[in-house]
Amino acid sequence: MHACMHACFSNEQLNCTYSVLPGEKSGIERRHFHLTEETLAAHPELFDRELPSLDTRVDMTADAVPKLAQCAAAKAIAEWGRPTADITHLVFSTYSACQAPTADLRLATLLGLRPTVSRTMLSLHGCYGGGRALSLAKELAENNRGARVLVACSEMTLVCFGAPDGGNIVGHALFGDGAGAVVIGAGPFLDGERRPIFEMVSATQTTIPRTEHALGMRVSGGGVDFHLAIQVPTLVGQNVEQCLLDAFRSAIVDDDDGGAAPPPSPCSGNGNGRWNDLFWAVHPGGRPILDNINKVLMLEPEKLAASRHVLREYGNMSGATIVFVLDELRRGRSPLPEWGALLAFGPGITIEAMVLRCPR
Ligand SMILES: CC(C)(COP(=O)(O)OP(=O)(O)OC[C@H]1O[C@@H](n2cnc3c(N)ncnc32)[C@H](O)[C@@H]1OP(=O)(O)O)[C@@H](O)C(=O)NCCC(=O)NCCSC(=O)CC(=O)O
């Protein structure tokens, strides 16, 4: 039986800032931040790159990153409908925490998870961290009878915030703070458990060869520095269709006779012009990335509406963004097609692809 998402919640920070770039260029109108004017006034080292600031950033994120995750996770657990003690596994992804015991333990304590909960921390995976966490949760749920996995992604630009300079101004214009949480299980259903939102049918991870230089993060005395090459949107566009074809080829579903079969057409076809039969959960890494995917897959404009909405309202929240897109999709007013695809990208360049299905 495939793993399913039983609950899915996103949570932004309370402090909202309007975009520094024109919305029609960046696709971003608003972003949300933990940092306030008051905090910055008290900590000039956070914007003066000449001053050492790593200690301040590590101390602030140690508290703030798990707390932001807690807001999203508590809502997801409430929606799921079972006691917190029934969570058996926790997968936490962030690029914003730099100490041990790691942020997953702090989150487990804040939520009151059982001491026997099996925790995994994914660190510095960047924007594909959310996709990787969901994929790992799928494996855990499908291979441990009765498991219920809490996925939490919490991202804060506090670790990289600084006065923009020529090398990183695009990143400073893109990234925002936010957290998302999902509860995942693979039947049999428990009493009171919310019915699944999305079935996770198959998942693949692909690394585009020789693109290590294109995206990266590095911890230094002044916080986390990041690098975004101008070629990233093109590289993603050139490789995304093959990743999708691989993900759909590896998808096997139960047929009516209790056997196993690949998903029905169009998912099993070669995809040309037929990707419009699916619903789409795409990490909105930036406006040109969505434009390129739209073009390569020949998608109707509304297919990426959930991704563009999240980009416009929150910016790129790295690994947490994909949970916002899933949350936006499941809240949509019109019913989704039965089959869908999830895509997330990050350093590597790594592409996470997942075949999703709306349970009928
Ligand atoms: C910055 C933009 C809003 C600008 O859009 P515009 O429509 O104005 O036009 P454009 O793309 O032609 O770019 C305008 C000018 O910015 C420059 N420019 C564009 N991208 C750049 C980059 N990454 N680094 C340095 N300069 C860059 C162009 O060369 C050009 O310069 P000139 O005017 O001199 O010719 C957009 O390009 C954008 O959103 N780019 C970021 C996409 C991206 O890489 N996302 C990945 C995020 S990371 C992620 O999601 C994964 C992860 O982090 O893990």
Side-chain angles (χ1 to χ4, degrees), residues 148-209:
R148 290 297 181 269
V149 188
L150 173 65
V151 166
C153 306
S154 179
E155 308 287 16
M156 271 189 194
T157 49
L158 173 50
V159 289
C160 51
F161 180 88
D165 59 38
N168 60 17
I169 194 160
V170 173
H172 282 297
L174 281 179
F175 292 112
D177 300 354
V182 183
V183 178
I184 290 164
F189 295 127
L190 308 171
D191 284 347
E193 185 169 51
R194 189 190 193 283
R195 291 282 146 191
I197 306 168
F198 297 115
E199 186 181 349
M200 305 157 83
V201 178
S202 70
T204 58
Q205 184 188 66
T206 307
T207 311
I208 308 174

Side-chain angles (χ1 to χ4, degrees), residues 218-241:
R218 185 175 170 277
V219 182
S220 70
V224 172
D225 293 326
F226 48 84
H227 165 67
L228 309 175
I230 196 166
Q231 298 83 4
V232 171
T234 307
L235 288 166
V236 170
Q238 285 169 343
N239 288 277
V240 81
E241 187 157 31

